[in-house]
Amino acid sequence: MKKLIPILIIFSFIIIKPQDRNAVSQITKESLIKTVSILSSKEYDGRLPGSEGYDKAAKFVSNKFLEMKLKPFGDAGYFQFLNVEYNRIDTPVVFEAIIDSETIIYKYGKDFVLRGFSGANSFTLPVAFCGYGISRPDLGYDDYQNVNVKNKIVIVFKQNPKWKIDDKDWGTAYPREKSLVAKQKGAKGILFVSLPNDEKPQPLIGSVMHGEGEQPTVFPQIHISIESANKLLSKVGLTLSECQTKIDEKKKPFSFLTRTKAKVIATTYYQKEAKTMNVVALLEGNDPILKNEYVVIGAHLDHVGSQAGLLFPGANDNASGSAGVLEIAKAFVADKVKPKRSIIFVSFASEEQGLNGSKHFVENLKVPEEKIVAMLNLDCIGYGDSIQVGNGKSSPKLWQIAKDFDEKNFKLMVSDTWSGGGADATPFHEKGIPSLYFVSKYSYDHLHLPTDTVETLNPDLFEKIVRLAFLTSKQIADGNYEREDVR
């Protein structure tokens, strides 16, 4: 009989109990979609931290926490403040190719976008092609060695080579790193272009992932289409694909002056330190001992903003996860049986710039680190066809709770997982806190594009992922999981 007891306990966990059905029913696709519609609307302007739009989104979340009568758990009320770099992109924004006497006017959003941390300037200058934009004399490779780029605009591949020299890393490939190299060589601006020989070249995305170093405030950084780059190479009779092939086959630079010019106007306003905030609330547990242990349920609230009127709505990334956190909070509040452990709900700022909000949260905990039993992260959960729960290889017992619930109730969770955290779960994982990362499978068709709108979402899948995250977190909060050692 003793051998049967653990099996019975497990089955009691994975089947939705009658007393839990009311709480689960609070999570509805209609409510989720409504919240995403609000957060991804023009009023919130893409939710770039440091902007008025992001502040409005943070206020929206804090008001929802207040309506639920959750305890404020920030520095001032629900807000936990931090500083981030901020760059506003305004009009005018211009990119034109000048080939002999012909001027080709490119369309913003279709043929080019600015990088989120572009500098501001206005000029018409000759263009040079400089391969991968890498200067590594220590590796015997320098795309700038045999071309004079002083007072010119350079075209470089946005990514680094897939091959290596002496198995050494090239660097980060972040746009700021490549921009600072080009600037140091005398260039006045940079045109990034995706690798044409990739099976699926990267589209023109909005991005504020810029890398370390000082902001080059008068150095425009533009991401142009492959077709636009080919126009600029047309005078030398080469295509971008041919240039990449030549460099990759010989593993040697192939840089040259294009004999064309480009007109660039970039209008930006940069702040080195702009105030922004995480939004944090607490639901206290009802067990006299376990209430001093915590479950963190979080999602990043930010996206990449807008550029000169071009909106990146961020419906799936990550208004979906933010809506999920609010629905889970609502379900816990509606539950007649309060959790034994306390739950911290948090909307993180500045994930898109490099997990700044979640790092700040972990580095400034208001509770003992060892008392956080688990962290659940929701990111891009509204688009796709199935459920993926990441970090299962690092927190396998935690992952199994989600897997068991899915098998008995939804049958949508794929077996693929990974280790090492992922997105805003990463800072928690690095502190040894067991974490899960809820995401929909095939979630990224509209990633960082103007087309990431609420109309593209899969409401049925969205609802099931959030319900799965709630049921998983409820088991943890009810004391049916002991913190495991992170692998």
Side-chain angles (χ1 to χ4, degrees):
M1 188 63 185
K2 288 183 180 179
K3 292 183 179 179
L4 293 176
I5 291 174
I7 298 174
L8 291 172
I9 291 174
I10 291 172
F11 270 77
S12 72
F13 289 177
I14 60 179
I15 297 172
I16 300 176
K17 301 173 187 177
Q19 63 266 34
D20 291 341
R21 287 174 186 156
N22 176 61
V24 172
S25 69
Q26 297 295 315
I27 298 169
T28 67
K29 57 190 174 185
E30 291 81 9
S31 184
L32 286 163
I33 292 297
K34 180 180 179 181
T35 299
V36 172
S37 297
I38 292 168
L39 290 174
S40 60
S41 67
K42 289 183 180 179
E43 180 182 356
Y44 294 83
D45 200 31
R47 309 185 307 281
L48 180 64
S51 72
E52 182 181 349
Y54 180 84
D55 290 350
K56 285 182 178 180
K59 184 66 174 175
F60 172 84
V61 172
S62 68
N63 284 340
K64 290 296 183 182
F65 286 156
L66 181 62
E67 288 173 14
M68 290 184 250
K69 296 182 171 57
L70 295 172
K71 182 179 178 179
F73 213 56
D75 305 323
Y78 295 105
F79 294 154
Q80 181 189 37
F81 295 106
L82 64 150
N83 291 326
V84 296
E85 287 184 273
Y86 170 66
N87 200 45
R88 178 166 63 89
I89 296 172
D90 211 337
T91 54
V93 173
V94 173
F95 169 53
E96 298 175 0
I98 301 168
I99 304 171
D100 294 330
S101 58
E102 181 186 8
T103 297
I104 302 169
I105 299 173
Y106 291 113
K107 184 177 180 181
Y108 193 52
K110 177 180 179 294
D111 302 308
F112 75 104
V113 294
L114 264 63
R115 294 295 305 186
F117 279 86
S118 171
N121 215 324
S122 175
F123 43 66
T124 300
L125 293 171
V127 176
F129 173 76
C130 294
Y132 287 96
I134 292 171
S135 180
R136 291 291 301 275
D138 58 309
L139 298 178
Y141 185 94
D142 190 345
D143 283 311
Y144 292 95
Q145 185 174 7
N146 296 315
V147 61
N148 180 6
V149 300
K150 186 176 181 180
N151 295 324
K152 295 179 179 66
I153 305 168
V154 298
I155 303 176
V156 306
F157 292 128
K158 182 173 174 281
Q159 301 99 314
N160 280 344
K162 293 181 172 64
W163 45 269
K164 295 182 178 181
I165 295 175
D166 297 332
D167 203 34
K168 299 289 181 62
D169 289 333
W170 291 108
T172 65
Y174 286 142
R176 181 173 287 177
E177 181 177 302
K178 292 195 176 189
S179 296
L180 290 173
V181 170
K183 184 174 181 291
Q184 191 271 331
K185 300 295 183 180
K188 295 297 183 182
I190 194 165
L191 306 175
F192 293 104
V193 63
S194 298
L195 291 173
N197 295 344
D198 278 3
E199 184 177 344
K200 189 177 179 181
Q202 292 182 4
L204 301 177
I205 62 170
S207 176
V208 290
M209 183 64 78
H210 53 282
E212 300 296 324
E214 287 296 313
Q215 167 73 353
T217 55
V218 295
F219 193 86
Q221 303 172 37
I222 302 176
H223 186 182
I224 67 173
S225 68
I226 292 169
E227 294 74 18
S228 301
N230 281 334
K231 280 285 187 182
L232 288 167
L233 300 184
S234 61
K235 286 285 289 182
V236 294
L238 292 167
T239 66
L240 202 64
S241 177
E242 290 169 337
C243 293
Q244 183 190 344
T245 298
K246 191 175 183 71
I247 297 170
D248 290 348
E249 285 181 348
K250 296 187 176 181
K251 296 182 173 56
K252 291 183 178 180
F254 179 61
S255 304
F256 51 86
L257 301 179
T258 66
R259 308 208 309 263
T260 60
K261 292 183 178 181
K263 179 180 179 179
V264 167
I265 300 175
T267 308
T268 68
Y269 302 91
Y270 172 74
Q271 286 180 254
K272 186 175 180 62
E273 291 191 346
K275 192 175 186 179
T276 191
M277 67 287 286
N278 296 326
V279 191
V280 193
L282 176 71
L283 176 64
E284 290 186 303
N286 70 351
D287 185 274
I289 296 173
L290 291 181
K291 72 177 183 180
N292 297 310
E293 297 180 355
Y294 302 86
V295 182
V296 177
I297 302 173
H300 75 88
L301 179 61
D302 65 302
H303 193 52
V304 299
S306 65
Q307 297 185 5
L310 178 66
L311 177 66
F312 296 90
N316 190 40
D317 186 17
N318 186 34
S320 67
S322 300
V325 170
L326 291 176
E327 288 294 290
I328 291 171
K330 183 176 73 174
F332 272 108
V333 169
D335 197 352
K336 293 179 181 179
V337 181
K338 297 306 177 188
K340 294 178 180 179
R341 288 176 170 136
S342 297
I343 304 173
I344 300 171
F345 301 99
V346 54
S347 293
F348 298 115
S350 198
E351 186 267 355
E352 300 290 1
Q353 275 182 252
L355 314 182
N356 292 334
S358 53
K359 287 177 182 176
H360 182 81
F361 179 85
V362 168
E363 291 164 3
N364 297 274
L365 290 172
K366 296 181 70 173
V367 301
E369 178 186 308
E370 66 275 9
K371 292 295 185 180
I372 300 178
V373 176
M375 187 273 178
L376 277 61
N377 183 54
L378 285 67
D379 196 344
C380 295
I381 57 173
Y383 179 92
D385 64 3
S386 52
I387 301 170
Q388 186 167 29
V389 180
N391 202 43
K393 291 183 178 179
S394 292
S395 304
K397 293 179 182 177
L398 196 59
W399 185 85
Q400 193 62 47
I401 293 174
K403 183 64 174 173
D404 289 342
F405 264 118
D406 176 74
E407 287 177 352
K408 289 297 177 182
N409 300 288
F410 307 113
K411 300 187 184 302
L412 284 168
M413 186 172 150
V414 300
S415 58
D416 294 341
T417 188
W418 61 79
S419 60
D424 285 313
T426 303
F428 293 86
H429 167 81
E430 290 173 348
K431 289 287 188 180
I433 298 169
S435 307
L436 293 180
Y437 178 175
F438 288 78
V439 63
S440 52
K441 190 75 171 172
Y442 307 113
S443 197
Y444 303 126
D445 287 347
H446 301 279
L447 185 72
H448 289 208
L449 294 172
T451 54
D452 184 9
T453 62
V454 68
E455 291 79 13
T456 68
L457 301 190
N458 180 341
D460 292 328
L461 178 69
F462 191 5
E463 179 184 271
K464 288 172 182 175
I465 292 179
V466 178
R467 288 185 172 188
L468 176 62
F470 167 72
L471 291 166
T472 304
S473 61
K474 183 166 172 53
Q475 288 301 315
I476 304 163
D478 284 345
N480 297 317
Y481 166 80
E482 296 299 321
R483 176 169 164 161
E484 63 193 292
D485 292 330
V486 169
R487 298 181 183 181

